[in-house]
Amino acid sequence: MGVRHVLGTGTYLGLPSLIGRSKKATFGYIKDKIWRKINSWRGRPISKAGKKVMIKSVLQSIPSYVMGLFILLDGIVSDIEKMLNSFWWGGSSNNKGIRWMSWDRMTGSKNEGGLGFRDLKSFNMAMVAKRGWHLLNNPDSLVSRVFKARWSIGDGRNISVMGDPWLRGCRSDWVKGPQNYGVYDLSVNALLSNDGKQWNGQLIRELFDSEVVHDILQTPLVGDVEVDKWVWKNERSGCCRGEKSKEDRMVAGRVAVLIDTLWRNRNNLIWNNESVGCSNLGLHAFCSWQEWFMAQEGNVPVQAHQSPLSWNPPVYRRWKCNVDAGFNTRRGTTNRGWCFRDHLGNFVHAGVTWDFVTLPIIEAEALALKEAIQVAIELRVTNVIFESDSQITVNAIRTGLIGTSEFSSIISSICILLLNFPNFEVKFVKRQANSVAHALAKAADSWTRRSSFNFPPPCIEPLIINDMS
């Protein structure tokens, strides 16, 4: 067709046609344009009033378009402001002069003693925020529909079966076409059963082929999500996060944690014949990195002591409940288990539940904890320590995670329950101290979908005896 390979990059609609790894190199042309414009004015007798007009109307307007779409590096912004400062204080020919006032002070308003020049960093963030505000308030625009990741299902009334991305844990977020003509006008609500928040399997099998049926039934429905909401995938809170400082360090940290997560998953597959799917693995790696990063910044409370490697009984007149989640990849189920014991280590009560969906690991862990708390309330026990081996879940509860994702909705429900029962306490323990709950979760789908035990099941009886010894 006569297509030729072109070296280098050009511009399209005033922007670079290709954004490479180095933003400094990509957006360096902005500094060059400003510098050429300043040099073209050298030697001209320009008054302070004229320079003020030139800076505000010409020089500061050059990067405005790019700043509306990209967050420029601090180094580029700093270099531009240095050039503007030199032009303001410079002489008529050599562009040098004594700088009697810092640029930061000159960017203040006239009422504050400044000259009203733009603080380019703040202007950049405001322009990008304006773009984000437009996306949030115009969800039906084409650009919004491209950038929005997927729907989080509440009642499903606002989600089009064929017109919106809403599937989870599948190859694609969209229901692939073509499909029966009648389903194009359906909302997701039409596929839900009238008996609680669950899929109407019989209707779904009548409307779609087997592959789509599998994708729909594998999409988990979280009861804590009551309203249809847009969420960003693979963000623990479901909210879109902007650029942060120390970008190189953050990227390196994410890569390191991802490699470590992949290595652990590989070992778990070889030695235990257990593995986690790609999407869940990526989410788990991101959450692990975020947890580490927040700890470095001092935003997450640090454990006062090392978590024990063996189970310890609670203090007198308190109960302890261990919780855990697991998966049966062969059957495609997500399992949860919990076990209550008294201050002597004696078995009191246990329970399991499972679903024919594959939840992300952090959602499953949070759901197991929530269900155990609800069981404690049903048993009318109000003085319980709940232990989980999910550091992410425990930290999310401690920091009061706020967001729109399914995980953050479950965390919010847990926080409300804990607020109503102040003698409930949630702690993190190592996997070795959580073996009873782990065994229950692993065997959960060998019983009915929701089972409770007043006597210890055979799979945990020797573990309880070992913990008491």
Side-chain angles (χ1 to χ4, degrees), residues 216-278:
I216 294 176
L217 296 182
Q218 278 293 303
T219 298
L221 296 171
V222 179
D224 296 273
V225 181
E226 299 177 350
V227 180
D228 299 328
K229 292 177 288 190
W230 281 108
V231 298
W232 272 262
K233 294 189 299 184
N234 296 342
E235 283 286 357
R236 188 172 67 183
S237 66
C239 301
C240 183
R241 299 183 183 273
E243 298 268 349
K244 299 186 190 321
S245 60
K246 306 176 184 176
E247 181 180 355
D248 292 341
R249 178 188 171 203
M250 291 171 62
V251 172
R254 290 185 183 185
V255 171
V257 173
L258 178 60
I259 292 173
D260 178 71
T261 304
L262 291 171
W263 177 251
R264 291 175 183 272
N265 193 56
R266 174 258 185 197
N267 290 342
N268 202 29
L269 177 62
I270 292 175
W271 300 109
N272 302 321
N273 198 28
E274 296 178 358
S275 64
V276 179
C278 294

Side-chain angles (χ1 to χ4, degrees), residues 113-377:
L115 293 174
F117 294 139
R118 286 176 183 166
D119 179 338
L120 291 181
K121 185 65 178 178
S122 300
F123 177 74
N124 191 182
M125 297 304 295
M127 291 291 285
V128 174
K130 181 180 178 182
R131 187 73 60 184
W133 183 256
H134 176 79
L135 293 176
L136 291 174
N137 286 274
N138 297 274
D140 295 327
S141 65
L142 177 60
V143 67
S144 294
R145 293 173 68 85
V146 170
F147 276 101
K148 297 281 191 177
R150 64 167 179 78
W151 279 96
S152 176
I153 303 172
D155 60 13
R157 298 182 186 278
N158 299 314
I159 308 173
S160 170
V161 170
M162 299 299 298
D164 290 315
W166 57 273
L167 296 176
R168 294 180 64 198
C170 309
R171 295 167 296 279
S172 171
D173 299 326
W174 303 76
V175 176
K176 70 172 186 177
Q179 294 293 335
N180 253 328
Y181 180 75
V183 304
Y184 284 83
D185 296 326
L186 292 181
S187 65
V188 172
N189 177 264
L191 305 181
L192 299 179
S193 172
N194 295 326
D195 302 328
K197 191 173 179 181
Q198 56 186 355
W199 295 115
N200 187 337
Q202 181 179 352
L203 176 62
I204 292 171
R205 290 183 181 90
E206 292 174 358
L207 294 175
F208 301 96
D209 60 54
S210 59
E211 188 175 345
V212 175
V213 169
H214 175 269
D215 290 347
I216 294 176
L217 296 182
Q218 278 293 303
T219 298
L221 296 171
V222 179
D224 296 273
V225 181
E226 299 177 350
V227 180
D228 299 328
K229 292 177 288 190
W230 281 108
V231 298
W232 272 262
K233 294 189 299 184
N234 296 342
E235 283 286 357
R236 188 172 67 183
S237 66
C239 301
C240 183
R241 299 183 183 273
E243 298 268 349
K244 299 186 190 321
S245 60
K246 306 176 184 176
E247 181 180 355
D248 292 341
R249 178 188 171 203
M250 291 171 62
V251 172
R254 290 185 183 185
V255 171
V257 173
L258 178 60
I259 292 173
D260 178 71
T261 304
L262 291 171
W263 177 251
R264 291 175 183 272
N265 193 56
R266 174 258 185 197
N267 290 342
N268 202 29
L269 177 62
I270 292 175
W271 300 109
N272 302 321
N273 198 28
E274 296 178 358
S275 64
V276 179
C278 294
S279 178
N280 290 340
L281 202 63
L283 179 61
H284 182 72
F286 177 79
C287 292
S288 298
W289 170 84
Q290 191 176 47
E291 177 187 321
W292 175 86
F293 181 80
M294 291 175 68
Q296 303 309 304
E297 297 295 315
N299 294 328
V300 176
V302 179
Q303 298 265 339
H305 59 278
Q306 185 69 23
S307 299
L309 295 179
S310 60
W311 187 85
N312 291 320
V315 296
Y316 180 62
R317 288 187 176 180
R318 293 201 80 176
W319 283 11
K320 179 173 282 189
C321 177
N322 290 83
V323 304
D324 201 8
F327 303 93
N328 187 327
T329 54
R330 180 178 56 83
R331 295 190 63 196
T333 62
T334 298
N335 306 340
R336 283 93 67 195
W338 52 87
C339 179
F340 291 85
R341 284 177 275 184
D342 62 19
H343 67 279
L344 297 175
N346 296 317
F347 174 88
V348 179
H349 185 81
V352 296
T353 185
W354 55 270
D355 297 296
F356 270 124
V357 293
T358 303
L359 286 168
I361 182 63
I362 58 172
E363 289 182 27
E365 295 280 6
L367 200 56
L369 178 59
K370 180 195 167 190
E371 290 167 342
I373 294 174
Q374 290 173 329
V375 169
I377 296 172

Side-chain angles (χ1 to χ4, degrees), residues 29-47:
Y29 75 94
I30 299 174
K31 296 193 299 182
D32 295 338
K33 288 183 69 173
I34 294 175
W35 185 246
R36 286 197 299 269
K37 185 65 69 175
I38 291 175
N39 284 337
S40 68
W41 296 335
R42 280 187 175 181
R44 299 183 184 181
I46 305 176
S47 65

Side-chain angles (χ1 to χ4, degrees), residues 338-341 346-352 436 440 447 451-462 464:
W338 52 87
C339 179
F340 291 85
R341 284 177 275 184
N346 296 317
F347 174 88
V348 179
H349 185 81
V352 296
V436 170
L440 281 170
W447 293 291
S451 301
S452 58
F453 311 96
N454 293 321
F455 297 95
C459 65
I460 65 170
E461 194 168 7
I464 292 177

